[in-house]
Structure formats: structure tokens, C-alpha cells
Amino acid sequence: MRRHRIEHRGNPEYYTPIYEMALSQFEAAADKLSLDPNLRKRFTNPKRAIMVNIPIRMDDQSVEVFHGYRVHHDTTLGPSKGGIRFHPDVSLGEVSALAMWMTWKCALMGLPFGGAKGGVRCDPLALSRNELQRLTRRYTAEMIQFIGPDIDVPAPDIGTNEQIMAWMMDTYSQFKGYSIPEIVTGKPISIGGSLGRVEATGRGVVYCILEAMSHLNMKPDGKTVVIQGFGNVGSHTAQILSEKGCKIIAVSDVHCGLYQPNGLDITALRAHVSRHQYLKGYTEASEISNPELLELPCDVLVPAALSEQITNDNADRISCKILAEAANGPTTPTADQILKDRGIFIIPDILANAGGVTVSYFEWVQGLQHFFWKEMEINERLREIVSMTFNNVLKTAISEKVDMRLAAMMLAIRKITESNLARGLFP
Ligand code: GLU
């Protein structure tokens, strides 16, 4: 029985709790679609996975070796696409799960990309700027065969940013002998980045929340919002939602949570963070812990940090009407079922946070054409794609009598399946 299960579910080397999570979401959709068993086997594991040892000279002249990964889950629809994560928990299983989610996300949004993800197991906050630069450049050099504008296009994720993308672009260009900005997205505007890319993920989260509110007959004005995480995604989501009239009553970062029942002043809070790096020390709110924050009664809860935050342990105490998954994989499958039974409306990660990769697509297209768009045009095209996809997912959820996650997965898998069957099997 066990033997059969492992054979059926592919290579156990990828298996970690988060990979199991991605796989069980895929299997639920594959069952519902009665997916061709050959394709089911192919999608169960990544197309390829690269693991590298990255030796770096530290500032004290010692040499440290870091572990780096890049996983291409599927490339049926085009070059693979996905971020690079610098975090102490990065592993092959985690990167593979995130790569699989990228495959579904790109397909769902109608982007001509396959899914990938990369990462280095490190604590970027503990590295100096020079160490970080050497690590980024050596990681890029080790990956040189596996990335490229027509092969695989990296972007930022947790622990990486515009500067890291600029170093990656420069390293790749040095190897090739000329400037190739379209090797990465999420790079600075000065070297070919796109207007609106930094805010794009937050903007996409907001467009999804507004669509969900309109479906549930709620008006944004005065609605209470709790956001876990105040990095790029969390802080822009907070800023844009507060501009739409919502009341952001709590936010958090790695060190603490802040609670203000009358609504936080997000502009002041962002100014505080740009001065002090963290939320700690902001005086216009009371401190709460991250677990307390997740359980605060609110209209909208936005987990915008790490995966596996809403689990069997806290799902029955989550007290929101809409859960917008800005992070990748914040809800475990058991928690998902509990929230569903309790009538919470979930906007699944592959839809909620897809604004980032959508504007990455715009950035890649602008780079390939050497023709750059206005910010208004970018935001408008993003809104159009996100709203249209949200409503397609909602329509499928209603007609197939499934939840939003299953509906989104079904649409994504259907799309790749169609292209895969058209292309056939080589050789
Ligand atoms: N890391 C982001 C994500 O998880 C963005 C990926 C991209 O822009 O390629 O969707």
C-alpha cells in the first residue's frame, strides 16, 4: 500500500509538509477534473530541480557555504517564472511547492509562463551588504545554464528585493557580454524595471478584496482589516486599502504586532518603518503577538507573511468574513476545510497574490520590446486581468459547487492540460 502510494505520488525526495500541502491541493483538483493519469504523474513532481553549494567569502575572510535551489515545475506554457527567496527555512521541498504554485498562478492569470521558484537558505538580515552581494552573484553564476529571458525569469520573493535583482541582472549580463535586463523582473526602474511593479502584489490583493466585497454585498468604507506581515506586500496592501476607506486595525512584522481599534495611520507607520526598519517602537498603537493578531475579529484578514500560519490549531478561532491569502500557502488543508465549514470566504493565494507576477509579465514584455508603458496603463491592465480572473473563478466555484481554491486550481490545470495535450509527448 505504502509502496503504491509513493510510486503514485512521484519522488519522495521533494516531500516536506509544505510540498504535501501543494500536492493535496493539486490532487483535489485533479480528482474533480478526472485528470488524465499521465498528466497527473507529470505534474506531481517538478520538471527539474537544481541544487547548488555556494561558497562565499565572509567579511571576516572565513568561507561559508550556503545551499541554493532553483526548481522548474512546468514549462508547457512558456519560460518558467517565479521569485527567489532568501530565508533560513528554504529547502528543496519548500521551493518545489512554491514552484508548483507558480505554475498554477501563471496559468490561471493567462500569462505565457511556466512555474519556477528559487531560494538560498540564509538569514539575509544577518549578512552585510557586501556578503549579500557576493552571495547573489555566486548564486546567479551557479544558475547561469538554467536561467535566461526565454528559459526561466527570476523575480523577488521573501528576503530579496530590487537591489538583489539588479545584482542578478548585472552578473548574468557580465557572463553574456552585454546588458540583458529582461533576465529578471522586479528590478529597479533605472535598469528597465516596470512602473507599478513594487506595489503590484498589494494592488492585486486589494482588487481581489474589492471584488469579494462586492460579491458579498459589503462596502469597503469602514470595514476592519488585519494584516499579518508589513513587508512589500503587507505594507502596500495596507496603504491601498486604507485609501479605499478600510480601517486597518492591526499589522505585524517578525518582531511584533500593533493593534489600534480606531484604525492605524498607515502613512505614519510606513514612515516609522522606513526610519527604524521594524514596527517596534511605534507609539500610537498597543503591542500584540502574531497569534493574537490572527484571531482578532475583523471583516478581512490578510496573511501576507510566511506559509502555514492558519492551521488545525487556530482555524476555529479565526474571526473574519474574507480571508485574502497574500502569502503563498498560508492555510493548511485541514484549516482550509475548517474555515470553509465556518462560511469564511477564502481568496486563494494563486489568485490573491498574482498581481506581482502579472506586472512581472508586463515588465518582461516591456523589456523585450524596449518600449515602456505609463503607470496608469499598467495599473489599469492589472485591474482588468485580476477582476476578470476573480470573476471567472467565482463563476466556476458557483457552477461546479466548489470553493474558490478548487475552482482556481481547476481553471489553471485545465489550461495547462489543453496545451500539454496539444503539444504531445516527446519523443
Ligand atoms: N515571488 C512572487 C510570487 O510568488 C512574484 C513572482 C514573479 O514576479 O515572478 O508570485
Side-chain angles (χ1 to χ4, degrees), residues 57-232:
R57 185 148 328 263
M58 306 301 279
D59 290 346
D60 67 3
Q61 297 307 309
S62 65
V63 172
E64 201 55 73
V65 177
F66 295 89
H67 303 290
Y69 307 86
R70 185 77 184 167
V71 172
H72 301 164
H73 174 259
D74 184 73
T75 55
T76 306
L77 297 175
S80 49
K81 186 84 194 79
I84 307 266
R85 180 172 288 200
F86 283 3
H87 192 271
D89 293 339
V90 163
S91 68
L92 176 64
E94 185 192 59
V95 174
S96 304
L98 291 161
M100 189 191 279
W101 281 323
M102 284 309 301
T103 299
W104 315 139
K105 198 186 298 186
C106 293
L108 176 67
M109 303 311 284
L111 311 178
F113 290 132
K117 203 78 170 198
V120 177
R121 193 181 310 143
C122 67
D123 179 0
L125 298 174
L127 297 173
S128 71
R129 184 183 160 89
N130 282 333
E131 288 166 342
L132 206 53
Q133 175 164 185
R134 288 194 288 270
L135 180 60
T136 303
R137 288 186 181 279
R138 183 66 189 253
Y139 170 82
T140 310
E142 297 292 344
M143 292 296 165
I144 217 88
Q145 317 272 10
F146 306 103
I147 57 175
D150 298 318
I151 303 171
D152 175 31
V153 185
D157 195 78
I158 293 172
T160 55
N161 55 22
E162 284 193 346
Q163 179 59 74
I164 302 231
M165 293 306 114
W167 290 329
M168 287 192 79
M169 176 270 182
D170 184 66
T171 307
Y172 187 80
S173 300
Q174 297 296 345
F175 267 78
K176 299 290 172 186
Y178 58 101
S179 286
I180 308 174
E182 54 286 8
I183 174 61
V184 289
T185 59
K187 57 192 170 286
I189 306 282
S190 60
I191 55 167
S194 175
L195 294 168
R197 174 61 185 90
V198 178
E199 308 84 8
T201 313
R203 212 172 268 287
V205 174
V206 173
Y207 294 149
C208 284
I209 292 172
L210 296 180
E211 291 291 342
M213 283 183 169
S214 118
H215 168 63
L216 300 172
N217 283 323
M218 292 162 72
K219 293 246 160 356
D221 215 34
K223 292 293 175 298
T224 53
V225 180
V226 169
I227 302 179
Q228 183 197 38
F230 205 67
N232 179 40

